[in-house]
Amino acid sequence: RVDLSTEQFRIVTDKRSKKRRIQEDSEEEFELEDSCSEGGEESDYEHDEAAHDSDDDDEDENQWMVTDDEEGTPKPTEQKKKLGFKVTQVKSASKTPAKKPKSSLTTPIRPPSVSQQPPTSKPTVTPLERRASPTQPQGSPLPYVKDSLNPAGSHVHNHLKFLQNPKDSQGRTKDDPNYDPHTLRVNYKEIENHQKVSQANRQWWDIKSQYFDTVLLFKTGKFYELYHMDADIGVQVLDFNYMKGHVAHAGFPEVSYGIMAERLVKAGYKVARVEQTETPEMLKERKKKKNRTGPTPNVVNREVCSVLTRGTRTFCYLDDTSALATMESGSSCVGPLLSIREVLLPPSNDDSSGDGYVHPVCEYGVTIVDAVRATVTIGQFADDVLRSRMNTLLAAFEPSEVLVQGGENGASPALQSLLRSVQASQQNMSVERIHATEQFPKSSALDSNARRKLERKSATVHPWDVKETLDELHRKGYYPRGSRGQQDQASISRWPKVLQAAVEGNAELALSSFGAVLFYLQRNLIDQDILGMGTVKAYIPPSSSGTAKASSIAALTNVVTQQEREEDSVSLAAQSEIFSSQGGAAPPVEFESDEIVLQEREINHMALDGTTLQNLEVLFNSQTNSASGSLWAKINFAKTPHGCRLLRAWLLRPLFRKEDIERRADAVEELVSGAAAVAIEETRKKALSQCGDIERLLTRVHSMSGVTSSEDDVSRFHPNERAVLYEGATHTKRKVEDFSKVLNYLQTVSSIPENFAGIDIQSPLLQKLVRLISDGGCFPDVTDELDWFFENFDVKEAASGSFEPFRGVDEAYDEACDAIERIERELADYKDEMCNHELKPSHVARSKWKFINTKVDSKDKYLIELPASVQVPEDFHMKGKRGKDDKQVNKYSTPVVEQLVQELEHALDVQREGKSRGMQLIFAKFDEKRHLWAAAAQATALLDALGSLAQASSRPGFTRPKILECPPDGMPSIRVVQGRHPCVDTTHSGGDFIPNDLVLGEAAEKVLLLSGPNMGGKSTLLRQTCLLAILAQIGCFVPALECSLTPVDRIYTRLGASDRILQGHSTFFVELSETACALRGATRRSLVIMDELGRGTSTFDGCAIASSAVKHLVERNRCLTLFATHYHSVLDEWQNEPTVRLGHMECIVEGSDPTAANDGDEEMEDERDHNITFLYTLGTGACPKSFGINVARLAGLPEPILANAKRASASFEAELSGMENNVSVSQRIIDTIESGNFEEAERIWESLQ
């Protein structure tokens, strides 16, 4: 029997790899434990594998070795299917069985006895927030035993004091606010107390000292190895077992890199891939060229080739792309990278701006990087004390990783609290602190040019410094340079327009955040992949009249407006329409100022802030924080990932201009029924559903092409170009698969115009989308360009690695091929000339002449073989011979042949180089037409998003809303007949949802004061109204019999009761903060809903606040408002106001008259009084009671408590009624005295006596 607790397992890929990694580098000393000799780079466990190969010869390699007494071990077949490779047993030094204890790095482990093999255990890894500085177990570390299997907490790194209290490269400890967790000061003398510091050992520590917060996947032959504290993480996260030895050690084969790296990143770790960038032959050559000074190199060179984090995964051919499957379905498991630069503003005492103005307390510069699609978005804006705009940005983009400034002058406590609260609800977001001064990693490349290209000008970097950022952008040449002779300012003339606007507009904070991103991308070695695409967009937060705009970013406004209109397809359809609504003089203004009217004309979209998105459950439901049950889930029927992203952008940014809404709604309506509906259904089934993420694949092809804007092609200096990969065939196959996919996807969508051919389309927008450019549309004709690639690119041949470039792709390669053909012809002509005129006898020479060594890799190419009997000229130099006597054959070379062979060798070198980068050249040629492919992707995304809205609109009971004009002297309004909540199909009791009618604004009634019982449907009606407005303004049909409304510029919500404990905000504070936002920011075109304002404090304070809020909304904001309350005094106060309408949610209470007083006799109480039936319909007037005790009975409160509560409620009502009567009499006396009717006053007074 085999006790698995004493066994080690090694992952191998096939039978031959049992004796794997007989290192090609015979000169390298690799093993960090010094158990390998200089003659190989083989790990110690490989010797064990070789020693036990004889034991495993008869083993079925498709099976696992599992003992009967092993508990909790997954079934071999299941594990094998999951990992996709086999595990080979490696026996430990001791054969004594030992049970596996439950131990961790934070729990001291009892030292093993001398006669017992140390048990294995898996450590508890440092929490993610402390992952940058791995710590040691509490107390003294356990002793280790060399050449034995050591448990967690007893390896060499557990004994190193410089790891227990780490210092950064500048000698700062963790208690220093400027401590740099990325770097480590290594004490090699202390290491030597435990093991010899070999060249390979020092190589690992040198890299680790610059990437201390990163897990190093250290390449050794065909395997990635994890050492020291990284091995602890591998054992914990990846379920590895330690290898024997006193150095913690684990690993996996190269083919499994994508799976393992993704698991580490998902767990919150940074992962650095360290590759061998030198072959053994290259090492030997380096040794020969070495100067006498310095040590002789005995280890192949290694370089960091990539660093993966949550926000910088590009999902290249090396990575596991399984996470993209959920991302393409609308999930945000792979969110962008967000960089935030914050500056606090001094407090202002200037109140001249009025009630509607909120003084900003801070200003933000942000940069958002979508690494999957290589898109950069920058912005700058001011924010209020609640960080409302930042909260909206976080809700809209859902970043996976956030960069903030660290150190003493870093992110404010308010921003840090906000990020912590987001992390609490969004578990897959991490926060990275970038200090004002950082150390940039040194490149270990052997070539000085490569080091210069990969490193910054100085090792000390200031990531947030704008000038240094711009200098670095110019130096690296990510974007095209201006013409020669231009000055610095003019040299950005060919940069992306948004970046130009930021530089010219002095958007210092936006550029500062961009600088931190630049530093991070360079450190992670993906800067060229992301910035090389040249896609930079602008971010402008949802407009608010309550917060000041950042004046320094005003230059971005025009750019982002055009950008948004393109995404909304507004500018697309406007090419074929001329709208008169933009022209003409505005009518006279009676109720609004000229400034407000002008502001309305500048609005393009409805603004939805983070609070509104959360309260209305637009993207996620509030219970599970998933998309299920949200408005997004109800309209998302997109078939393509890029169409899904566009639809989501539309949902977060509904249209505001009537003509824009109507234009999109026209297209949706035409796709709901008729011939166009049949065509879109066919298109969605056969084209869009077969089309993957074209935008992402275009980014991948660009990255694989190596195309850059730089004049000196910096991509060829990337460490990946030098990496020695043993799974080249697999990587090549993945590259070809990505390229083949994008070709097939584009070919599939190219047939879309044919599906709509012959259909009379009325919508100008839809007509533009489904007609080719040649027919007056905007859909690009990509057929001819695609045919060229299909004809000249053999997918099977390329996947097998035997692809050769074809003519017209690489001029140098074509010239080399021509040169080879020419040289071969000249050699043949030379043979004929020699045989006919110089060699005797000519007929023997002609028949026996033979060129040998003609293969590409042959040495002494094209030697001439002739019988010794043939007479040759003097310039025929004999190089050798074979045979004897009459059969002797001589080998000759001549000056002419030597010259031709020299030319041939050069041509072959050029050809060989062209073959090696043949696919890269194909990719580059494809990338040259990226604008064409991107146009096709954009057209399909627009059509897919419209098709999704059409499918949502085609459901029973949905109707197209009527969008009304709202002139300056008009009144905003909304009218809904038999409207339903779009996300609620049934009531909580299982019945059909009960529709409601709602009218606001038509009869001068802008405010609805809504009362009614708890659970009666007030909140549902409030949310329903807002969601119907959102659906209407994205161009979708709404669930109602009839619906008409004037466009809403912004929705404000005050709903629910929740605190923000991580931000230090109580429930009542959150309630009033949301109210303040609405009161300060709402305009006449806004829609405000408030539910039970004032319930977080005393009854009198809450009632007063609610009444004052209603007064402000009625007299100042004058917006459409739905105000739900249980304060009946508020209802009484506003019942005679013409702009206010009272309404209630109807119900039936069985038993006595709900308005009658109860005498407190429980025995006389009708049992039917316990029953309340909710009708969920909106009625006129106020509700007499809130029936809270009835709801308490439904909730299951004990009857004695309910009886006491009912008596107390009756008493309170009687007391309040008496107080109100006294107030009424007092007011009558005051009124009579003021009118001079003293007799009436005296009579009232006497009646009171």
Side-chain angles (χ1 to χ4, degrees), residues 514-530:
F514 187 88
V517 162
L518 175 63
F519 165 79
Y520 204 61
L521 296 181
Q522 287 181 334
R523 181 180 174 84
N524 292 2
L525 295 164
I526 59 169
D527 51 312
Q528 199 61 243
D529 289 349
I530 305 300

mmCIF file of all heavy atoms in Angstrom, residues 514-530:
data_model
loop_
_atom_site.group_PDB
_atom_site.id
_atom_site.type_symbol
_atom_site.label_atom_id
_atom_site.label_comp_id
_atom_site.label_asym_id
_atom_site.label_seq_id
_atom_site.Cartn_x
_atom_site.Cartn_y
_atom_site.Cartn_z
ATOM 1 N N PHE A 514 -3.592 59.366 -16.097
ATOM 2 C CA PHE A 514 -3.072 58.665 -17.280
ATOM 3 C C PHE A 514 -1.620 58.267 -17.058
ATOM 4 O O PHE A 514 -1.172 57.199 -17.496
ATOM 5 C CB PHE A 514 -3.206 59.564 -18.510
ATOM 6 C CG PHE A 514 -2.867 58.880 -19.804
ATOM 7 C CD1 PHE A 514 -3.837 58.183 -20.508
ATOM 8 C CD2 PHE A 514 -1.585 58.933 -20.328
ATOM 9 C CE1 PHE A 514 -3.532 57.549 -21.703
ATOM 10 C CE2 PHE A 514 -1.267 58.307 -21.521
ATOM 11 C CZ PHE A 514 -2.248 57.614 -22.213
ATOM 12 N N GLY A 515 -0.863 59.127 -16.365
ATOM 13 C CA GLY A 515 0.532 58.809 -16.075
ATOM 14 C C GLY A 515 0.674 57.588 -15.188
ATOM 15 O O GLY A 515 1.580 56.760 -15.386
ATOM 16 N N ALA A 516 -0.208 57.455 -14.177
ATOM 17 C CA ALA A 516 -0.168 56.270 -13.327
ATOM 18 C C ALA A 516 -0.483 55.011 -14.126
ATOM 19 O O ALA A 516 0.131 53.957 -13.931
ATOM 20 C CB ALA A 516 -1.148 56.430 -12.170
ATOM 21 N N VAL A 517 -1.436 55.114 -15.049
ATOM 22 C CA VAL A 517 -1.764 53.986 -15.922
ATOM 23 C C VAL A 517 -0.578 53.633 -16.807
ATOM 24 O O VAL A 517 -0.244 52.454 -16.994
ATOM 25 C CB VAL A 517 -3.009 54.314 -16.774
ATOM 26 C CG1 VAL A 517 -3.113 53.380 -17.971
ATOM 27 C CG2 VAL A 517 -4.263 54.219 -15.927
ATOM 28 N N LEU A 518 0.077 54.648 -17.357
ATOM 29 C CA LEU A 518 1.241 54.406 -18.206
ATOM 30 C C LEU A 518 2.316 53.650 -17.438
ATOM 31 O O LEU A 518 2.897 52.670 -17.942
ATOM 32 C CB LEU A 518 1.783 55.743 -18.722
ATOM 33 C CG LEU A 518 3.084 55.675 -19.534
ATOM 34 C CD1 LEU A 518 2.881 54.859 -20.809
ATOM 35 C CD2 LEU A 518 3.562 57.084 -19.886
ATOM 36 N N PHE A 519 2.594 54.088 -16.218
ATOM 37 C CA PHE A 519 3.583 53.410 -15.380
ATOM 38 C C PHE A 519 3.173 51.957 -15.132
ATOM 39 O O PHE A 519 3.994 51.038 -15.242
ATOM 40 C CB PHE A 519 3.729 54.159 -14.052
ATOM 41 C CG PHE A 519 4.432 53.375 -12.978
ATOM 42 C CD1 PHE A 519 5.814 53.272 -12.968
ATOM 43 C CD2 PHE A 519 3.712 52.741 -11.973
ATOM 44 C CE1 PHE A 519 6.467 52.546 -11.978
ATOM 45 C CE2 PHE A 519 4.348 52.016 -10.983
ATOM 46 C CZ PHE A 519 5.729 51.928 -10.981
ATOM 47 N N TYR A 520 1.917 51.736 -14.823
ATOM 48 C CA TYR A 520 1.444 50.397 -14.488
ATOM 49 C C TYR A 520 1.466 49.480 -15.708
ATOM 50 O O TYR A 520 1.848 48.306 -15.607
ATOM 51 C CB TYR A 520 0.035 50.499 -13.921
ATOM 52 C CG TYR A 520 -0.363 49.350 -13.027
ATOM 53 C CD1 TYR A 520 0.342 49.074 -11.865
ATOM 54 C CD2 TYR A 520 -1.454 48.546 -13.347
ATOM 55 C CE1 TYR A 520 -0.027 48.028 -11.038
ATOM 56 C CE2 TYR A 520 -1.836 47.498 -12.531
ATOM 57 C CZ TYR A 520 -1.118 47.243 -11.372
ATOM 58 O OH TYR A 520 -1.485 46.200 -10.557
ATOM 59 N N LEU A 521 1.073 49.990 -16.852
ATOM 60 C CA LEU A 521 1.095 49.181 -18.071
ATOM 61 C C LEU A 521 2.522 48.858 -18.480
ATOM 62 O O LEU A 521 2.807 47.744 -18.939
ATOM 63 C CB LEU A 521 0.374 49.914 -19.208
ATOM 64 C CG LEU A 521 -1.125 50.176 -19.027
ATOM 65 C CD1 LEU A 521 -1.679 50.884 -20.251
ATOM 66 C CD2 LEU A 521 -1.883 48.885 -18.757
ATOM 67 N N GLN A 522 3.422 49.829 -18.336
ATOM 68 C CA GLN A 522 4.823 49.564 -18.659
ATOM 69 C C GLN A 522 5.411 48.528 -17.710
ATOM 70 O O GLN A 522 6.155 47.633 -18.128
ATOM 71 C CB GLN A 522 5.637 50.858 -18.592
ATOM 72 C CG GLN A 522 5.379 51.814 -19.742
ATOM 73 C CD GLN A 522 6.219 53.069 -19.638
ATOM 74 O OE1 GLN A 522 6.623 53.481 -18.544
ATOM 75 N NE2 GLN A 522 6.487 53.704 -20.766
ATOM 76 N N ARG A 523 5.097 48.660 -16.451
ATOM 77 C CA ARG A 523 5.596 47.697 -15.461
ATOM 78 C C ARG A 523 5.076 46.291 -15.769
ATOM 79 O O ARG A 523 5.781 45.306 -15.582
ATOM 80 C CB ARG A 523 5.176 48.137 -14.057
ATOM 81 C CG ARG A 523 5.662 47.230 -12.946
ATOM 82 C CD ARG A 523 5.215 47.723 -11.575
ATOM 83 N NE ARG A 523 5.559 46.772 -10.538
ATOM 84 C CZ ARG A 523 6.742 46.695 -9.945
ATOM 85 N NH1 ARG A 523 7.684 47.552 -10.256
ATOM 86 N NH2 ARG A 523 6.976 45.776 -9.018
ATOM 87 N N ASN A 524 3.841 46.207 -16.244
ATOM 88 C CA ASN A 524 3.247 44.923 -16.572
ATOM 89 C C ASN A 524 3.543 44.476 -17.996
ATOM 90 O O ASN A 524 3.057 43.432 -18.434
ATOM 91 C CB ASN A 524 1.739 44.976 -16.363
ATOM 92 C CG ASN A 524 1.364 45.107 -14.902
ATOM 93 O OD1 ASN A 524 2.229 45.197 -14.034
ATOM 94 N ND2 ASN A 524 0.087 45.140 -14.611
ATOM 95 N N LEU A 525 4.291 45.300 -18.742
ATOM 96 C CA LEU A 525 4.781 44.954 -20.080
ATOM 97 C C LEU A 525 3.667 44.751 -21.109
ATOM 98 O O LEU A 525 3.771 43.927 -22.012
ATOM 99 C CB LEU A 525 5.655 43.691 -20.007
ATOM 100 C CG LEU A 525 6.958 43.858 -19.214
ATOM 101 C CD1 LEU A 525 7.553 42.510 -18.853
ATOM 102 C CD2 LEU A 525 7.960 44.683 -20.008
ATOM 103 N N ILE A 526 2.587 45.530 -20.969
ATOM 104 C CA ILE A 526 1.518 45.478 -21.975
ATOM 105 C C ILE A 526 1.217 46.876 -22.495
ATOM 106 O O ILE A 526 0.168 47.103 -23.084
ATOM 107 C CB ILE A 526 0.235 44.847 -21.398
ATOM 108 C CG1 ILE A 526 -0.269 45.637 -20.193
ATOM 109 C CG2 ILE A 526 0.443 43.391 -21.050
ATOM 110 C CD1 ILE A 526 -1.655 45.235 -19.752
ATOM 111 N N ASP A 527 2.120 47.824 -22.260
ATOM 112 C CA ASP A 527 1.868 49.204 -22.677
ATOM 113 C C ASP A 527 1.699 49.314 -24.184
ATOM 114 O O ASP A 527 0.830 50.031 -24.674
ATOM 115 C CB ASP A 527 2.996 50.118 -22.195
ATOM 116 C CG ASP A 527 4.370 49.595 -22.577
ATOM 117 O OD1 ASP A 527 4.641 48.399 -22.352
ATOM 118 O OD2 ASP A 527 5.192 50.381 -23.106
ATOM 119 N N GLN A 528 2.517 48.589 -24.943
ATOM 120 C CA GLN A 528 2.437 48.689 -26.394
ATOM 121 C C GLN A 528 1.151 48.055 -26.912
ATOM 122 O O GLN A 528 0.523 48.558 -27.850
ATOM 123 C CB GLN A 528 3.652 48.008 -27.027
ATOM 124 C CG GLN A 528 3.922 48.411 -28.461
ATOM 125 C CD GLN A 528 4.206 49.883 -28.628
ATOM 126 O OE1 GLN A 528 3.465 50.601 -29.291
ATOM 127 N NE2 GLN A 528 5.281 50.353 -27.998
ATOM 128 N N ASP A 529 0.715 46.954 -26.288
ATOM 129 C CA ASP A 529 -0.526 46.300 -26.704
ATOM 130 C C ASP A 529 -1.723 47.223 -26.533
ATOM 131 O O ASP A 529 -2.625 47.253 -27.376
ATOM 132 C CB ASP A 529 -0.749 45.025 -25.887
ATOM 133 C CG ASP A 529 0.221 43.918 -26.262
ATOM 134 O OD1 ASP A 529 0.903 44.070 -27.288
ATOM 135 O OD2 ASP A 529 0.290 42.918 -25.536
ATOM 136 N N ILE A 530 -1.756 47.976 -25.424
ATOM 137 C CA ILE A 530 -2.921 48.803 -25.115
ATOM 138 C C ILE A 530 -2.850 50.140 -25.836
ATOM 139 O O ILE A 530 -3.758 50.521 -26.579
ATOM 140 C CB ILE A 530 -3.029 49.030 -23.596
ATOM 141 C CG1 ILE A 530 -3.053 47.693 -22.855
ATOM 142 C CG2 ILE A 530 -4.270 49.848 -23.283
ATOM 143 C CD1 ILE A 530 -4.178 46.796 -23.209
#
